[in-house]
């Protein structure tokens, strides 16, 4: 993937429009409760400020109705936090699409919630051209929205004088490309989650590429069912058994493998008070629920990871939120942390597991994109990245 990168451009005296992802959680009073995405946007903004650009930043927040900005839609709290992190005031600009506001080199303004603009979600060409006219350089630094073709993620990139990837977006593209297009072997993918149906395309795509495909959670239960095992009352999708078998056959034909657990942790309910029992997979009872990999299977996964050259991680292998069902995910996380392989991780549950087991500093790259990360793994074309690729030679 070839895209222009912000750090390779001369931005001095230029009007720079940055599409960031500042969609952070807030409490009922509007206070920001977690600011990772805002902090992740700082390097690109700071680079532009340090090099004498006039900087405009915008983002979506929540799911507003186009044409209105309700109290819960405003980026006002984001402007305050951005100013604190940058060490300078950040003015919030409303009704900005037609211009009429001032920003000087070395200054930064925040443009109100872009999804409140009529035509944003439909990638309206007239809106895109108006926004493109505001800048000399367009910067997309919002990988988390790269799978959406909208005016601030796709349309503006077509019409701005220059379109490039910000530092965060560029790092995402580099890390994902390294993991999937030029991986050090063996390539090990870990895909957890409740349903095969939601990740079937990912599983089939990865089955054509990886050397080991580790499945966890409800997905693993469906694969166990496909392999002929009794899974009791475990979460699974019996209607997806044939698809699971197809994935295993694709792997087998390539001399690769889907390593299924030989021992599991079961309980009769999913709760903090549930009693966990470690048993052989062949001893699962009619009313058991499989909620984690057993210690022998977890050790096997750790060994696979220890010998990996590249690791792609999306999803836990058990109900790790409860400590008695966290052993498999914890051992896997520890193996990734101690591995010399290049590792990339993404997805909400994965990030929660990384935080719980405190291994963030030991993962090669942590993706900020949820849906975009998954669609990249599926092999889909992400509209925002495609738009930047199309402008590479300009």
């Amino acid at each position: 993937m070839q895209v222009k990168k912000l750090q390779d451009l001369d931005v001095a005296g230029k009007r720079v429009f940055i599409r960031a992802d500042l969609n952070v959680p807030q409490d009922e009073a509007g206070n920001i409760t977690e600011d990772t995405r805002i902090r992740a946007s700082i390097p690109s903004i700071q680079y532009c400020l340090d090099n004498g650009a006039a900087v405009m930043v915008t983002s979506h927040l929540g799911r507003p109705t186009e044409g209105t900005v309700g109290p819960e839609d405003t980026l006002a709290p984001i402007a305050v936090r951005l100013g604190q992190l940058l060490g300078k005031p950040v003015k919030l600009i409303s009704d900005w699409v037609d211009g009429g506001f001032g920003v000087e080199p070395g200054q930064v303004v925040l443009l109100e919630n872009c999804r409140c603009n009529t035509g944003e979600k439909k990638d309206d060409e007239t809106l895109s051209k108006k926004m493109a006219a505001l800048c000399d350089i367009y910067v997309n630094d919002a990988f988390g929205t790269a799978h959406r073709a909208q005016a601030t993620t796709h349309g503006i990139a077509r019409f701005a004088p220059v379109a490039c990837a910000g530092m965060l977006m560029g790092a995402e593209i580099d890390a994902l490309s390294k993991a999937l297009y030029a991986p050090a072997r063996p390539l090990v993918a870990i895909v957890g989650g409740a349903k095969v149906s939601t990740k079937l395309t990912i599983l089939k795509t990865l089955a054509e590429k990886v050397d080991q495909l580790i499945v966890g959670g409800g997905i693993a239960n469906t694969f166990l069912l496909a392999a002929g095992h009794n899974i009791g009352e475990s979460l699974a999708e019996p209607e997806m058994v044939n698809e699971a078998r197809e994935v295993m056959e694709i792997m087998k034909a390539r001399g690769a493998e889907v390593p299924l657990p030989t021992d599991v942790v079961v309980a009769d309910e999913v709760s903090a008070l549930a009693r966990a029992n470690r048993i052989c997979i062949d001893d699962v009872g009619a009313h058991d629920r499989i909620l984690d990999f057993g210690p022998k299977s977890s050790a096997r996964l750790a060994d696979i990871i220890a010998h990996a050259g590249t690791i792609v991680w999306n999803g836990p292998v058990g109900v790790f939120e409860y400590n008695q069902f966290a052993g498999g995910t914890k051992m896997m996380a520890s193996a990734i942390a101690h591995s010399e392989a290049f590792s990339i991780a993404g997805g909400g549950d994965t990030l929660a597991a990384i935080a719980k087991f405190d291994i963030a500093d030991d993962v090669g790259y942590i993706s900020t994109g949820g849906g975009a990360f998954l669609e990249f793994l599926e092999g889909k074309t992400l509209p925002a990245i495609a738009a930047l690729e199309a402008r590479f030679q300009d």
Side-chain angles (χ1 to χ4, degrees):
M1 287 186 175
Q2 289 188 307
V3 299
K4 286 192 174 98
K5 294 185 177 179
L6 174 61
Q7 57 267 43
D8 296 330
L9 301 179
D10 179 9
V11 300
K14 303 290 178 61
R15 298 170 301 154
V16 178
F17 184 112
I18 301 177
R19 173 51 160 105
D21 183 359
L22 309 176
N23 185 31
V24 294
Q26 298 170 274
D27 62 22
E28 292 182 0
N31 300 306
I32 296 168
T33 57
E34 208 284 321
D35 69 351
T36 298
R37 286 175 174 168
I38 300 177
R39 287 185 282 109
S41 73
I42 295 298
S44 289
I45 298 171
Q46 193 67 59
Y47 173 85
C48 292
L49 292 174
D50 290 346
N51 287 279
V55 186
M56 299 161 275
V57 182
T58 194
S59 172
H60 70 290
L61 179 68
R63 299 179 182 275
T65 300
E66 289 190 358
T68 63
V69 183
E72 69 280 6
D73 304 324
T74 181
L75 296 183
I78 313 308
V80 173
R81 184 61 182 136
L82 202 54
Q84 292 170 343
L85 293 169
L86 291 169
K88 60 170 60 187
V90 176
K91 184 179 180 180
L92 180 66
I93 307 293
S94 301
D95 301 319
W96 51 270
V97 171
D98 292 313
F101 60 90
V103 55
E104 300 295 323
Q107 291 183 340
V108 56
V109 297
L110 184 62
L111 309 179
E112 187 60 279
N113 194 332
C114 60
R115 283 195 187 158
C116 293
N117 295 323
T118 302
E120 167 67 15
K121 292 181 182 178
K122 292 185 177 180
D123 198 17
D124 181 76
E125 187 168 302
T126 300
L127 174 62
S128 299
K129 287 179 176 177
K130 284 184 176 182
M131 294 190 296
L134 298 174
C135 66
D136 302 304
I137 299 172
Y138 164 72
V139 181
N140 192 330
D141 212 26
F143 178 76
T145 66
H147 58 314
R148 304 191 185 282
Q150 299 182 344
T152 56
T153 64
H154 179 264
I156 185 175
R158 297 170 55 208
F159 304 113
V162 175
C164 69
M167 294 179 176
L168 182 61
M169 173 71 88
E172 292 271 3
I173 292 172
D174 289 346
L176 283 162
S177 297
K178 179 179 178 180
L180 293 178
Y181 299 139
R185 297 283 179 172
L187 170 58
V188 176
I190 303 156
V191 181
K195 296 182 178 181
V196 171
S197 55
T198 59
K199 295 185 177 179
L200 178 61
T201 309
I202 298 170
L203 292 168
K204 286 186 176 180
T205 299
L206 291 175
E208 299 283 0
K209 299 179 180 179
V210 304
D211 301 297
Q212 299 271 7
L213 178 57
I214 296 170
V215 291
I219 293 175
N221 294 338
T222 301
F223 274 75
L224 285 168
L225 202 58
H229 294 287
N230 174 38
I231 61 168
E233 295 181 355
S234 304
L235 175 66
E237 293 178 287
E239 70 277 11
M240 299 300 293
V241 162
N242 288 337
E243 284 76 6
R245 287 193 185 114
E246 184 181 350
V247 170
M248 288 190 285
E249 287 301 320
I250 292 172
M251 293 288 287
K252 185 177 179 181
R254 296 178 50 245
E257 186 186 6
V258 180
L260 296 177
T262 55
D263 64 327
V264 290
V265 180
V266 300
D268 57 6
E269 65 177 2
V270 184
S271 76
L273 300 177
R275 179 182 176 182
N277 296 303
R278 299 181 180 90
I279 61 175
C280 172
I281 188 62
D282 294 327
D283 294 332
V284 174
H287 300 293
D288 284 332
R289 297 185 182 188
I290 301 172
L291 300 175
D292 194 16
F293 279 37
K296 291 180 181 179
S297 299
S298 298
R300 183 186 177 206
L301 298 189
D303 183 63
I304 290 171
I305 290 166
H307 291 89
T310 305
I311 303 162
V312 178
W313 180 18
N314 176 248
V317 296
V319 187
F320 72 98
E321 294 87 350
Y322 301 117
N323 289 336
Q324 67 269 47
F325 309 121
T329 303
K330 183 177 182 179
M331 186 175 289
M332 187 175 69
S334 178
I336 292 171
H338 289 91
S339 172
E340 295 182 2
F342 173 70
S343 56
I344 181 168
D349 287 342
T350 310
L351 301 189
I354 288 171
K356 177 168 183 170
F357 303 123
D358 194 24
I359 63 164
D361 292 340
D362 300 309
V363 177
Y365 190 84
I366 298 175
S367 175
T368 58
F373 178 79
L374 292 178
E375 291 199 12
F376 198 107
L377 294 187
E378 286 182 49
K380 290 184 177 179
T381 297
L382 304 188
I385 295 178
L388 296 180
E389 287 182 291
R391 297 298 306 279
F392 176 68
Q393 297 293 348
D394 292 356

mmCIF file of all heavy atoms in Angstrom, residues 49-77:
data_model
loop_
_atom_site.group_PDB
_atom_site.id
_atom_site.type_symbol
_atom_site.label_atom_id
_atom_site.label_comp_id
_atom_site.label_asym_id
_atom_site.label_seq_id
_atom_site.Cartn_x
_atom_site.Cartn_y
_atom_site.Cartn_z
ATOM 1 N N LEU A 49 1.846 21.769 13.957
ATOM 2 C CA LEU A 49 2.056 23.011 14.701
ATOM 3 C C LEU A 49 3.545 23.365 14.776
ATOM 4 O O LEU A 49 3.941 24.518 14.556
ATOM 5 C CB LEU A 49 1.475 22.882 16.115
ATOM 6 C CG LEU A 49 -0.048 22.779 16.221
ATOM 7 C CD1 LEU A 49 -0.459 22.498 17.665
ATOM 8 C CD2 LEU A 49 -0.709 24.062 15.726
ATOM 9 N N ASP A 50 4.368 22.367 15.071
ATOM 10 C CA ASP A 50 5.814 22.602 15.197
ATOM 11 C C ASP A 50 6.434 23.058 13.886
ATOM 12 O O ASP A 50 7.473 23.727 13.886
ATOM 13 C CB ASP A 50 6.515 21.325 15.674
ATOM 14 C CG ASP A 50 6.192 20.974 17.116
ATOM 15 O OD1 ASP A 50 5.648 21.842 17.824
ATOM 16 O OD2 ASP A 50 6.466 19.830 17.520
ATOM 17 N N ASN A 51 5.799 22.690 12.781
ATOM 18 C CA ASN A 51 6.352 23.025 11.471
ATOM 19 C C ASN A 51 5.602 24.172 10.784
ATOM 20 O O ASN A 51 5.696 24.348 9.579
ATOM 21 C CB ASN A 51 6.371 21.778 10.587
ATOM 22 C CG ASN A 51 7.451 20.796 11.000
ATOM 23 O OD1 ASN A 51 8.620 20.958 10.646
ATOM 24 N ND2 ASN A 51 7.068 19.793 11.777
ATOM 25 N N GLY A 52 4.866 24.948 11.585
ATOM 26 C CA GLY A 52 4.311 26.195 11.083
ATOM 27 C C GLY A 52 3.049 26.099 10.247
ATOM 28 O O GLY A 52 2.784 26.990 9.431
ATOM 29 N N ALA A 53 2.265 25.065 10.441
ATOM 30 C CA ALA A 53 1.004 24.944 9.699
ATOM 31 C C ALA A 53 -0.138 25.601 10.475
ATOM 32 O O ALA A 53 -0.091 25.735 11.699
ATOM 33 C CB ALA A 53 0.679 23.480 9.452
ATOM 34 N N ALA A 54 -1.164 25.987 9.735
ATOM 35 C CA ALA A 54 -2.430 26.422 10.326
ATOM 36 C C ALA A 54 -3.324 25.189 10.356
ATOM 37 O O ALA A 54 -3.655 24.639 9.300
ATOM 38 C CB ALA A 54 -3.057 27.534 9.496
ATOM 39 N N VAL A 55 -3.692 24.727 11.545
ATOM 40 C CA VAL A 55 -4.261 23.395 11.702
ATOM 41 C C VAL A 55 -5.751 23.428 12.037
ATOM 42 O O VAL A 55 -6.184 24.121 12.962
ATOM 43 C CB VAL A 55 -3.510 22.606 12.795
ATOM 44 C CG1 VAL A 55 -4.016 21.172 12.862
ATOM 45 C CG2 VAL A 55 -2.006 22.626 12.535
ATOM 46 N N MET A 56 -6.511 22.671 11.263
ATOM 47 C CA MET A 56 -7.935 22.437 11.528
ATOM 48 C C MET A 56 -8.107 20.947 11.792
ATOM 49 O O MET A 56 -7.627 20.127 11.014
ATOM 50 C CB MET A 56 -8.780 22.833 10.314
ATOM 51 C CG MET A 56 -8.685 24.287 9.908
ATOM 52 S SD MET A 56 -9.261 24.543 8.193
ATOM 53 C CE MET A 56 -7.760 24.174 7.275
ATOM 54 N N VAL A 57 -8.787 20.627 12.880
ATOM 55 C CA VAL A 57 -9.024 19.227 13.234
ATOM 56 C C VAL A 57 -10.526 19.009 13.356
ATOM 57 O O VAL A 57 -11.243 19.847 13.904
ATOM 58 C CB VAL A 57 -8.358 18.861 14.576
ATOM 59 C CG1 VAL A 57 -8.572 17.382 14.903
ATOM 60 C CG2 VAL A 57 -6.876 19.198 14.555
ATOM 61 N N THR A 58 -10.997 17.890 12.847
ATOM 62 C CA THR A 58 -12.398 17.525 13.074
ATOM 63 C C THR A 58 -12.506 16.037 13.355
ATOM 64 O O THR A 58 -11.579 15.263 13.105
ATOM 65 C CB THR A 58 -13.310 17.917 11.889
ATOM 66 O OG1 THR A 58 -14.680 17.836 12.311
ATOM 67 C CG2 THR A 58 -13.113 16.984 10.694
ATOM 68 N N SER A 59 -13.662 15.653 13.890
ATOM 69 C CA SER A 59 -13.927 14.253 14.223
ATOM 70 C C SER A 59 -15.434 14.068 14.344
ATOM 71 O O SER A 59 -16.190 15.041 14.449
ATOM 72 C CB SER A 59 -13.269 13.891 15.556
ATOM 73 O OG SER A 59 -13.650 12.592 15.999
ATOM 74 N N HIS A 60 -15.852 12.802 14.326
ATOM 75 C CA HIS A 60 -17.232 12.497 14.695
ATOM 76 C C HIS A 60 -17.274 12.234 16.188
ATOM 77 O O HIS A 60 -16.242 11.996 16.825
ATOM 78 C CB HIS A 60 -17.748 11.284 13.928
ATOM 79 C CG HIS A 60 -17.118 9.985 14.348
ATOM 80 N ND1 HIS A 60 -15.794 9.661 14.073
ATOM 81 C CD2 HIS A 60 -17.617 8.931 15.051
ATOM 82 C CE1 HIS A 60 -15.512 8.474 14.561
ATOM 83 N NE2 HIS A 60 -16.603 8.005 15.173
ATOM 84 N N LEU A 61 -18.449 12.286 16.750
ATOM 85 C CA LEU A 61 -18.668 11.916 18.149
ATOM 86 C C LEU A 61 -20.080 11.357 18.257
ATOM 87 O O LEU A 61 -21.049 12.044 17.928
ATOM 88 C CB LEU A 61 -18.508 13.121 19.077
ATOM 89 C CG LEU A 61 -18.733 12.835 20.581
ATOM 90 C CD1 LEU A 61 -17.627 11.937 21.123
ATOM 91 C CD2 LEU A 61 -18.796 14.139 21.378
ATOM 92 N N GLY A 62 -20.185 10.106 18.669
ATOM 93 C CA GLY A 62 -21.493 9.495 18.825
ATOM 94 C C GLY A 62 -22.203 9.275 17.501
ATOM 95 O O GLY A 62 -21.588 9.147 16.447
ATOM 96 N N ARG A 63 -23.525 9.283 17.554
ATOM 97 C CA ARG A 63 -24.354 9.055 16.365
ATOM 98 C C ARG A 63 -25.388 10.188 16.234
ATOM 99 O O ARG A 63 -26.583 9.991 16.474
ATOM 100 C CB ARG A 63 -25.057 7.699 16.463
ATOM 101 C CG ARG A 63 -24.092 6.519 16.545
ATOM 102 C CD ARG A 63 -24.837 5.195 16.671
ATOM 103 N NE ARG A 63 -23.937 4.072 16.800
ATOM 104 C CZ ARG A 63 -23.370 3.437 15.792
ATOM 105 N NH1 ARG A 63 -23.612 3.833 14.553
ATOM 106 N NH2 ARG A 63 -22.552 2.409 15.994
ATOM 107 N N PRO A 64 -24.924 11.374 15.874
ATOM 108 C CA PRO A 64 -25.830 12.526 15.802
ATOM 109 C C PRO A 64 -26.761 12.475 14.593
ATOM 110 O O PRO A 64 -26.530 11.738 13.639
ATOM 111 C CB PRO A 64 -24.874 13.711 15.680
ATOM 112 C CG PRO A 64 -23.685 13.146 14.961
ATOM 113 C CD PRO A 64 -23.544 11.740 15.486
ATOM 114 N N THR A 65 -27.799 13.280 14.648
ATOM 115 C CA THR A 65 -28.689 13.476 13.508
ATOM 116 C C THR A 65 -28.107 14.581 12.638
ATOM 117 O O THR A 65 -27.775 15.660 13.134
ATOM 118 C CB THR A 65 -30.104 13.891 13.977
ATOM 119 O OG1 THR A 65 -30.622 12.857 14.814
ATOM 120 C CG2 THR A 65 -31.027 14.104 12.785
ATOM 121 N N GLU A 66 -27.953 14.308 11.355
ATOM 122 C CA GLU A 66 -27.373 15.314 10.468
ATOM 123 C C GLU A 66 -28.227 16.580 10.448
ATOM 124 O O GLU A 66 -29.456 16.522 10.436
ATOM 125 C CB GLU A 66 -27.224 14.757 9.047
ATOM 126 C CG GLU A 66 -26.127 13.713 8.930
ATOM 127 C CD GLU A 66 -25.831 13.343 7.484
ATOM 128 O OE1 GLU A 66 -26.496 13.867 6.585
ATOM 129 O OE2 GLU A 66 -24.905 12.528 7.258
ATOM 130 N N GLY A 67 -27.537 17.713 10.449
ATOM 131 C CA GLY A 67 -28.230 18.993 10.380
ATOM 132 C C GLY A 67 -28.439 19.656 11.722
ATOM 133 O O GLY A 67 -28.818 20.823 11.790
ATOM 134 N N THR A 68 -28.180 18.937 12.816
ATOM 135 C CA THR A 68 -28.327 19.512 14.157
ATOM 136 C C THR A 68 -27.150 19.104 15.032
ATOM 137 O O THR A 68 -26.524 18.064 14.814
ATOM 138 C CB THR A 68 -29.631 19.042 14.832
ATOM 139 O OG1 THR A 68 -29.576 17.616 15.004
ATOM 140 C CG2 THR A 68 -30.845 19.394 13.989
ATOM 141 N N VAL A 69 -26.859 19.953 16.024
ATOM 142 C CA VAL A 69 -25.814 19.638 17.008
ATOM 143 C C VAL A 69 -26.458 19.690 18.386
ATOM 144 O O VAL A 69 -26.661 20.770 18.950
ATOM 145 C CB VAL A 69 -24.631 20.627 16.942
ATOM 146 C CG1 VAL A 69 -23.548 20.207 17.944
ATOM 147 C CG2 VAL A 69 -24.058 20.708 15.541
ATOM 148 N N GLY A 70 -26.802 18.531 18.916
ATOM 149 C CA GLY A 70 -27.400 18.467 20.242
ATOM 150 C C GLY A 70 -26.339 18.578 21.324
ATOM 151 O O GLY A 70 -25.133 18.484 21.040
ATOM 152 N N PRO A 71 -26.739 18.763 22.583
ATOM 153 C CA PRO A 71 -25.788 18.876 23.697
ATOM 154 C C PRO A 71 -24.848 17.676 23.807
ATOM 155 O O PRO A 71 -23.686 17.819 24.196
ATOM 156 C CB PRO A 71 -26.697 18.984 24.929
ATOM 157 C CG PRO A 71 -28.000 19.483 24.406
ATOM 158 C CD PRO A 71 -28.140 18.897 23.032
ATOM 159 N N GLU A 72 -25.373 16.501 23.436
ATOM 160 C CA GLU A 72 -24.545 15.290 23.528
ATOM 161 C C GLU A 72 -23.644 15.102 22.304
ATOM 162 O O GLU A 72 -22.790 14.207 22.283
ATOM 163 C CB GLU A 72 -25.441 14.044 23.691
ATOM 164 C CG GLU A 72 -26.262 13.672 22.463
ATOM 165 C CD GLU A 72 -27.524 14.501 22.279
ATOM 166 O OE1 GLU A 72 -27.730 15.473 23.051
ATOM 167 O OE2 GLU A 72 -28.301 14.188 21.349
ATOM 168 N N ASP A 73 -23.810 15.968 21.292
ATOM 169 C CA ASP A 73 -23.049 15.828 20.050
ATOM 170 C C ASP A 73 -21.822 16.725 19.980
ATOM 171 O O ASP A 73 -20.921 16.491 19.172
ATOM 172 C CB ASP A 73 -23.942 16.164 18.840
ATOM 173 C CG ASP A 73 -25.201 15.320 18.784
ATOM 174 O OD1 ASP A 73 -25.124 14.131 19.152
ATOM 175 O OD2 ASP A 73 -26.246 15.855 18.388
ATOM 176 N N THR A 74 -21.783 17.770 20.795
ATOM 177 C CA THR A 74 -20.735 18.776 20.652
ATOM 178 C C THR A 74 -19.351 18.260 21.040
ATOM 179 O O THR A 74 -19.206 17.434 21.956
ATOM 180 C CB THR A 74 -21.055 20.030 21.474
ATOM 181 O OG1 THR A 74 -20.003 20.998 21.276
ATOM 182 C CG2 THR A 74 -21.176 19.717 22.961
ATOM 183 N N LEU A 75 -18.353 18.785 20.345
ATOM 184 C CA LEU A 75 -16.962 18.441 20.643
ATOM 185 C C LEU A 75 -16.349 19.379 21.682
ATOM 186 O O LEU A 75 -15.133 19.368 21.886
ATOM 187 C CB LEU A 75 -16.123 18.502 19.361
ATOM 188 C CG LEU A 75 -16.457 17.506 18.238
ATOM 189 C CD1 LEU A 75 -15.467 17.669 17.085
ATOM 190 C CD2 LEU A 75 -16.468 16.075 18.732
ATOM 191 N N ALA A 76 -17.174 20.193 22.340
ATOM 192 C CA ALA A 76 -16.661 21.157 23.317
ATOM 193 C C ALA A 76 -15.770 20.520 24.389
ATOM 194 O O ALA A 76 -14.667 21.028 24.666
ATOM 195 C CB ALA A 76 -17.820 21.927 23.957
ATOM 196 N N PRO A 77 -16.183 19.389 25.009
ATOM 197 C CA PRO A 77 -15.287 18.761 25.998
ATOM 198 C C PRO A 77 -13.986 18.266 25.369
ATOM 199 O O PRO A 77 -12.941 18.265 26.020
ATOM 200 C CB PRO A 77 -16.121 17.592 26.536
ATOM 201 C CG PRO A 77 -17.533 17.928 26.205
ATOM 202 C CD PRO A 77 -17.465 18.671 24.910
#
